[in-house]
Amino acid sequence: MKIRLIIIAILSTVLVGCSGEFNKVLKHGDFDYRYEYAKQCFAEGSFSHAETLLQDLITLKKGSETGEEALYMLAMSQYMNGDYESASATFKKYYTSYPKGLYAEHAMYYVGQALYESAPEPRLDQTPTIGAINAYQQFMDLFPNSALRSNAQSRLYELQEKLVMKELLSAQLYYNLGGYFGNVNSNSESNYSSSIIVAQNALKNYPYSDHREEFALLIMKSKFELAQNSSDDRKLERYQDAEDECYGFLNEYPDSKEKPLAVKYIAKCKKITKN
């Protein structure tokens, strides 16, 4: 216990000493001295101190020999501190300011990487995800032979799957809501119709997704439920459409575990369409 207290006391003294030194540097009038200290902080992994110093120095260093380096270090410090939104903006600013700069390739890659790190789960707004996809695509267009290209490509596919999952969750939600608010409404599409539209658009927009069968299943189920809940004047047409969808599902996924459901739907549809 005594040893532990001694260690804590020593660490506290060291931290106070470091904090005191940093505050002195922060107020120092010699900008070059402050910049060298910022570089030391960056090299030692003290990115919060580096960022604080560099925020004040990048304007002063703009146009100088060290201006490019200062801006890149600021962006990387923000990234390492987990401030991904600021990091992405600063990396982009670096590339705009120094398109032929020493760190241009890495800066452009990290525009996407920072947005990738901030991309939310599929249920939430995917604006950062779309931004990251566009950034990675731009990076690969600008640096087609980069050693980082495979990383960017992998991230891009991962982000696209996140968009697919958002569409899948949306289509599932519409299907699960079903007739909760009324299946047929003269002023709006039914939940089943909405599920069909979302799933069909996803299949069109993401033709190589691993979730194609899940979308196809939702379309089949939604068309059958839509037929069952249709008004008499549209029932026959929609049962015929549902039956065709079931056959299409079986043709595309003959080994699907949902094959019995498709066969069941077909039998029920035929009872209506044959009469």
Side-chain angles (χ1 to χ4, degrees), residues 86-136:
S86 296
S88 180
T90 308
F91 279 122
K92 193 168 186 177
K93 181 180 179 181
Y94 172 92
Y95 184 81
T96 303
S97 302
Y98 307 100
K100 302 294 184 181
L102 181 62
Y103 310 103
E105 181 181 328
H106 281 78
M108 200 62 221
Y109 172 79
Y110 273 99
V111 172
Q113 186 68 11
L115 289 170
Y116 166 84
E117 294 291 353
S118 63
E121 63 168 305
R123 295 180 188 276
L124 301 177
D125 176 56
Q126 293 300 304
T127 299
T129 302
I130 295 170
I133 289 173
N134 292 336
Y136 278 133

Side-chain angles (χ1 to χ4, degrees), residues 8-26 33 37 40-41 44 46 49:
I8 292 173
I10 292 172
L11 289 174
S12 298
T13 303
V14 170
L15 290 172
V16 170
C18 291
S19 178
E21 181 184 2
F22 174 73
N23 288 330
K24 287 180 181 178
V25 173
L26 194 59
Y33 176 77
Y37 192 85
Q40 181 182 332
C41 290
E44 293 175 353
S46 183
H49 283 170

Side-chain angles (χ1 to χ4, degrees), residues 68-260:
E68 177 185 346
E69 181 183 57
L71 189 57
Y72 180 78
M73 281 199 299
L74 173 61
M76 189 57 74
S77 294
Q78 290 169 333
Y79 179 84
M80 297 303 293
N81 285 331
D83 185 0
Y84 299 121
E85 184 177 353
S86 296
S88 180
T90 308
F91 279 122
K92 193 168 186 177
K93 181 180 179 181
Y94 172 92
Y95 184 81
T96 303
S97 302
Y98 307 100
K100 302 294 184 181
L102 181 62
Y103 310 103
E105 181 181 328
H106 281 78
M108 200 62 221
Y109 172 79
Y110 273 99
V111 172
Q113 186 68 11
L115 289 170
Y116 166 84
E117 294 291 353
S118 63
E121 63 168 305
R123 295 180 188 276
L124 301 177
D125 176 56
Q126 293 300 304
T127 299
T129 302
I130 295 170
I133 289 173
N134 292 336
Y136 278 133
Q137 189 61 63
Q138 186 179 9
F139 165 75
M140 290 189 293
D141 290 342
L142 290 169
F143 302 98
N145 300 317
S146 173
L148 294 169
R149 180 182 175 86
S150 60
N151 289 355
Q153 188 75 67
S154 177
R155 298 292 198 199
L156 194 149
Y157 287 146
E158 185 180 339
L159 291 164
Q160 285 179 333
E161 279 301 293
K162 186 171 287 193
L163 295 182
V164 171
M165 278 303 303
K166 183 172 180 62
E167 295 304 296
L168 182 59
L169 290 171
S170 178
Q172 287 174 335
L173 177 61
Y174 280 123
Y175 177 79
N176 292 337
L177 285 173
Y180 187 75
F181 296 110
N183 272 314
V184 178
N185 187 310
S186 58
N187 296 318
S188 64
E189 290 187 322
S190 72
N191 291 317
Y192 293 125
S193 292
S194 296
S195 179
I196 293 166
I197 291 169
V198 171
Q200 287 176 334
N201 286 338
L203 287 174
K204 179 181 177 181
N205 295 330
Y206 307 103
Y208 304 109
S209 170
D210 294 333
H211 298 283
R212 288 188 60 83
E213 183 178 341
E214 293 170 82
F215 283 116
L217 177 63
L218 275 171
I219 294 170
M220 180 182 74
K221 290 166 66 176
S222 294
K223 284 191 173 184
F224 180 79
E225 294 294 339
L226 188 60
Q228 281 203 310
N229 291 277
S230 291
S231 56
D232 290 339
D233 61 321
R234 304 200 67 180
K235 195 175 288 287
L236 178 60
E237 173 194 350
R238 284 180 168 169
Y239 268 114
Q240 289 173 335
D241 187 30
E243 185 178 345
D244 290 342
E245 193 66 40
C246 290
Y247 280 119
F249 180 83
L250 290 175
N251 287 334
E252 189 166 359
Y253 305 102
D255 300 321
S256 172
K257 66 178 182 179
E258 299 295 341
K259 181 178 179 178

